[in-house]
Coordinates of all heavy atoms in Angstrom, one line a residue:
L103 N 70.3 30.7 -93.4 CA 69.7 31.9 -94.0 C 70.3 33.2 -93.6 O 70.5 34.1 -94.4 CB 68.2 31.9 -93.9 CG 67.5 30.8 -94.5 CD1 65.9 30.8 -94.2 CD2 67.7 30.7 -96.0
I106 N 73.7 33.6 -95.1 CA 73.6 34.1 -96.6 C 73.3 35.6 -96.5 O 73.8 36.4 -97.3 CB 72.4 33.4 -97.3 CG1 72.8 32.0 -97.5 CG2 72.2 34.1 -98.7 CD1 71.6 31.1 -97.9
A115 N 77.0 34.8 -103.6 CA 76.6 33.7 -104.6 C 75.1 33.8 -105.0 O 74.4 34.6 -104.4 CB 76.9 32.3 -104.0
D116 N 74.7 33.0 -105.9 CA 73.3 32.9 -106.4 C 72.7 31.8 -105.6 O 73.0 30.6 -105.8 CB 73.3 32.6 -107.9 CG 71.9 32.6 -108.4 OD1 71.0 33.2 -107.9 OD2 71.7 31.8 -109.4
F117 N 71.7 32.2 -104.7 CA 71.0 31.1 -103.9 C 69.6 30.9 -104.3 O 68.9 31.9 -104.7 CB 71.1 31.6 -102.4 CG 72.4 31.5 -101.8 CD1 73.2 32.7 -101.8 CD2 72.8 30.4 -101.2 CE1 74.5 32.5 -101.2 CE2 74.1 30.3 -100.6 CZ 74.9 31.4 -100.7
L118 N 69.1 29.7 -104.3 CA 67.7 29.3 -104.3 C 67.4 28.5 -103.1 O 68.1 27.7 -102.6 CB 67.5 28.4 -105.5 CG 67.7 29.0 -106.9 CD1 67.6 27.8 -108.0 CD2 66.7 30.0 -107.1
I119 N 66.1 28.8 -102.6 CA 65.6 28.2 -101.4 C 64.4 27.3 -101.9 O 63.5 27.9 -102.5 CB 65.2 29.3 -100.3 CG1 66.3 30.3 -100.1 CG2 64.6 28.6 -99.1 CD1 67.6 29.7 -99.6
G120 N 64.5 26.0 -101.5 CA 63.4 25.2 -101.9 C 62.5 24.8 -100.7 O 63.1 24.3 -99.7
Y121 N 61.3 25.1 -100.8 CA 60.4 24.8 -99.6 C 59.2 24.0 -100.2 O 58.9 24.0 -101.3 CB 59.8 26.1 -99.0 CG 58.9 26.9 -99.8 CD1 57.5 26.8 -99.7 CD2 59.4 27.9 -100.8 CE1 56.7 27.4 -100.5 CE2 58.5 28.6 -101.5 CZ 57.1 28.4 -101.4 OH 56.2 29.1 -102.2
H122 N 58.6 23.2 -99.3 CA 57.5 22.3 -99.6 C 56.2 23.2 -99.5 O 55.9 23.7 -98.5 CB 57.4 21.1 -98.6 CG 56.3 20.2 -98.9 ND1 55.2 20.1 -98.2 CD2 56.1 19.4 -99.9 CE1 54.3 19.3 -98.6 NE2 54.9 18.8 -99.8
D123 N 55.5 23.2 -100.7 CA 54.2 23.8 -100.8 C 53.2 22.7 -100.6 O 53.1 21.9 -101.4 CB 54.1 24.5 -102.1 CG 52.8 25.2 -102.3 OD1 51.7 24.7 -102.1 OD2 52.8 26.4 -102.6
Q128 N 54.6 19.9 -103.7 CA 55.9 19.9 -104.4 C 56.8 20.9 -103.8 O 56.4 21.8 -103.0 CB 55.7 20.2 -105.9 CG 55.2 21.6 -106.2 CD 55.0 21.8 -107.8 OE1 55.1 20.8 -108.5 NE2 54.8 23.0 -108.1
I129 N 58.0 20.8 -104.2 CA 59.1 21.6 -103.8 C 59.1 22.9 -104.7 O 59.2 22.8 -106.0 CB 60.5 21.0 -103.8 CG1 60.6 19.8 -102.8 CG2 61.6 22.2 -103.4 CD1 60.3 20.1 -101.4
I130 N 58.9 24.1 -104.1 CA 58.9 25.4 -104.8 C 60.4 26.1 -104.6 O 60.7 26.2 -103.4 CB 57.9 26.3 -104.4 CG1 56.5 25.6 -104.5 CG2 57.9 27.6 -105.2 CD1 56.0 25.3 -105.9
R131 N 61.1 26.4 -105.6 CA 62.4 27.1 -105.5 C 62.2 28.5 -105.8 O 61.7 28.8 -106.8 CB 63.4 26.3 -106.4 CG 63.7 25.0 -105.9 CD 64.9 24.4 -106.8 NE 65.1 23.0 -106.5 CZ 65.4 22.1 -107.3 NH1 65.3 22.3 -108.6 NH2 65.5 20.8 -106.8
V132 N 62.7 29.3 -104.9 CA 62.6 30.7 -105.0 C 64.0 31.4 -104.9 O 64.8 30.9 -104.0 CB 61.6 31.4 -104.1 CG1 60.2 30.9 -104.3 CG2 62.0 31.1 -102.6
P133 N 64.3 32.5 -105.5 CA 65.7 33.1 -105.3 C 65.7 33.6 -103.9 O 64.6 34.1 -103.3 CB 65.7 34.2 -106.3 CG 64.6 33.9 -107.2 CD 63.6 33.1 -106.5
F134 N 66.8 33.6 -103.3 CA 67.0 34.1 -101.9 C 66.6 35.6 -101.8 O 66.0 36.1 -100.8 CB 68.4 34.0 -101.4 CG 68.6 34.5 -100.0 CD1 68.2 33.8 -99.0 CD2 69.3 35.7 -99.8 CE1 68.3 34.3 -97.7 CE2 69.4 36.3 -98.6 CZ 69.0 35.6 -97.5
R135 N 66.8 36.4 -102.9 CA 66.5 37.8 -102.9 C 65.0 38.1 -102.8 O 64.6 39.2 -102.4 CB 67.1 38.5 -104.1 CG 66.4 38.0 -105.5 CD 67.1 38.7 -106.7 NE 66.6 38.1 -107.8 CZ 67.1 37.0 -108.4 NH1 68.1 36.4 -107.9 NH2 66.5 36.6 -109.5
S136 N 64.2 37.0 -103.0 CA 62.7 37.2 -102.8 C 62.2 36.9 -101.5 O 61.0 37.0 -101.2 CB 62.0 36.4 -103.9 OG 62.1 35.0 -103.7
I137 N 63.1 36.6 -100.5 CA 62.8 36.3 -99.2 C 63.0 37.5 -98.3 O 63.9 38.3 -98.5 CB 63.8 35.2 -98.7 CG1 63.4 33.8 -99.3 CG2 63.6 34.9 -97.2 CD1 64.2 32.7 -99.0
Q138 N 62.1 37.6 -97.4 CA 62.1 38.7 -96.4 C 62.3 38.0 -95.0 O 61.3 37.3 -94.5 CB 60.9 39.6 -96.4 CG 60.8 40.3 -97.7 CD 59.6 41.2 -97.8 OE1 58.7 41.0 -97.0 NE2 59.5 42.1 -98.8
F147 N 59.5 32.9 -92.5 CA 60.0 34.1 -93.3 C 58.9 34.3 -94.4 O 58.0 33.5 -94.6 CB 61.3 33.9 -93.9 CG 61.5 32.7 -94.9 CD1 61.1 32.8 -96.3 CD2 61.8 31.4 -94.4 CE1 61.1 31.6 -97.1 CE2 61.9 30.3 -95.2 CZ 61.6 30.4 -96.5
D148 N 58.9 35.5 -95.0 CA 58.0 35.9 -96.1 C 58.6 35.7 -97.4 O 59.9 36.1 -97.6 CB 57.4 37.2 -95.9 CG 56.5 37.4 -94.7 OD1 55.8 36.3 -94.4 OD2 56.4 38.4 -94.0
I149 N 57.9 35.3 -98.4 CA 58.4 35.4 -99.8 C 57.4 36.2 -100.6 O 56.3 36.4 -100.2 CB 58.6 34.0 -100.5 CG1 57.3 33.3 -100.5 CG2 59.6 33.2 -99.8 CD1 57.2 32.1 -101.5
I150 N 57.9 36.8 -101.6 CA 57.0 37.6 -102.5 C 56.8 36.8 -103.8 O 57.8 36.4 -104.5 CB 57.7 38.9 -102.9 CG1 58.0 39.7 -101.6 CG2 56.7 39.8 -103.7 CD1 56.9 40.0 -100.7
D151 N 55.6 36.3 -104.1 CA 55.4 35.5 -105.3 C 55.3 36.3 -106.5 O 55.6 37.6 -106.5 CB 54.1 34.7 -105.1 CG 52.8 35.5 -105.0 OD1 52.8 36.6 -105.5 OD2 51.8 34.9 -104.6
E152 N 55.0 35.7 -107.6 CA 55.1 36.4 -108.9 C 54.1 37.5 -109.1 O 54.2 38.4 -109.8 CB 54.8 35.3 -110.1 CG 55.8 34.3 -110.3 CD 55.6 33.1 -109.2 OE1 54.4 32.9 -108.8 OE2 56.6 32.5 -108.9
T155 N 52.4 39.2 -104.1 CA 51.7 38.9 -102.8 C 52.7 38.2 -101.9 O 53.4 37.2 -102.2 CB 50.6 37.9 -103.1 OG1 49.7 38.4 -104.0 CG2 49.8 37.6 -101.8
R157 N 53.9 35.7 -99.0 CA 53.4 34.5 -98.4 C 54.4 34.0 -97.3 O 55.6 34.1 -97.4 CB 53.4 33.4 -99.5 CG 52.5 33.6 -100.6 CD 52.4 32.5 -101.7 NE 51.7 32.9 -102.8 CZ 50.3 32.5 -102.8 NH1 49.9 31.7 -102.0 NH2 49.6 32.9 -103.9
M158 N 53.7 33.6 -96.2 CA 54.5 33.2 -95.0 C 55.0 31.7 -95.2 O 54.1 30.9 -95.6 CB 53.7 33.3 -93.8 CG 54.4 33.1 -92.5 SD 54.5 31.4 -91.9 CE 52.7 31.0 -91.7
V159 N 56.2 31.4 -95.0 CA 56.8 30.0 -95.2 C 57.4 29.7 -93.8 O 58.4 30.4 -93.4 CB 57.8 29.9 -96.3 CG1 58.5 28.5 -96.3 CG2 57.2 30.3 -97.6
R163 N 59.4 24.1 -93.3 CA 59.1 23.6 -94.6 C 60.2 23.8 -95.7 O 60.0 23.3 -96.8 CB 57.8 24.3 -95.1 CG 56.6 24.0 -94.4 CD 55.4 23.9 -95.4 NE 54.2 23.9 -94.6 CZ 53.3 24.8 -94.6 NH1 53.4 25.8 -95.4 NH2 52.2 24.7 -93.8
V164 N 61.3 24.4 -95.2 CA 62.4 24.5 -96.1 C 63.0 23.1 -96.3 O 63.3 22.5 -95.3 CB 63.5 25.5 -95.6 CG1 64.6 25.6 -96.6 CG2 62.8 26.9 -95.6
R165 N 63.2 22.7 -97.5 CA 63.7 21.3 -97.8 C 65.2 21.3 -98.4 O 65.9 20.3 -98.3 CB 62.8 20.6 -98.7 CG 61.4 20.3 -98.1 CD 61.6 19.3 -97.0 NE 60.2 19.0 -96.6 CZ 59.7 19.4 -95.3 NH1 60.6 20.1 -94.5 NH2 58.6 19.0 -94.9
E166 N 65.5 22.5 -99.1 CA 66.8 22.5 -99.8 C 67.3 23.9 -99.9 O 66.4 24.8 -100.0 CB 66.7 21.8 -101.1 CG 65.6 22.3 -102.0 CD 65.4 21.4 -103.2 OE1 65.6 20.1 -103.1 OE2 65.1 22.0 -104.3
V167 N 68.6 24.0 -100.0 CA 69.2 25.3 -100.3 C 70.3 25.0 -101.4 O 71.2 24.2 -101.2 CB 69.9 26.0 -99.1 CG1 70.6 27.3 -99.5 CG2 68.8 26.3 -98.0
W168 N 70.3 25.8 -102.5 CA 71.2 25.7 -103.6 C 72.0 27.0 -103.6 O 71.6 28.1 -103.5 CB 70.4 25.6 -104.9 CG 69.5 24.3 -105.0 CD1 68.3 24.1 -104.5 CD2 69.9 23.2 -105.7 NE1 67.9 22.9 -104.7 CE2 68.9 22.2 -105.4 CE3 71.0 22.6 -106.4 CZ2 68.8 21.0 -105.9 CZ3 71.0 21.4 -106.9 CH2 70.0 20.6 -106.7
R169 N 73.4 26.7 -103.8 CA 74.3 27.8 -104.0 C 75.0 27.6 -105.3 O 75.7 26.7 -105.5 CB 75.3 27.8 -102.9 CG 76.3 29.0 -102.9 CD 77.2 29.0 -101.6 NE 78.0 30.2 -101.6 CZ 79.3 30.3 -101.8 NH1 79.9 29.2 -102.2 NH2 79.9 31.4 -101.8

Side-chain angles (χ1 to χ4, degrees):
L103 295 177
I106 295 168
D116 183 33
F117 288 93
L118 290 175
I119 308 302
Y121 69 93
H122 180 249
D123 184 304
Q128 65 183 9
I129 302 295
I130 305 294
R131 292 184 183 139
V132 296
F134 181 76
R135 66 183 172 274
S136 67
I137 290 177
Q138 296 177 345
F147 58 88
D148 290 329
I149 61 164
I150 306 301
D151 66 15
E152 296 83 25
T155 305
R157 297 181 184 263
M158 189 269 305
V159 176
R163 288 216 196 120
V164 176
R165 297 291 183 250
E166 54 191 34
V167 177
W168 297 81
R169 182 175 190 255

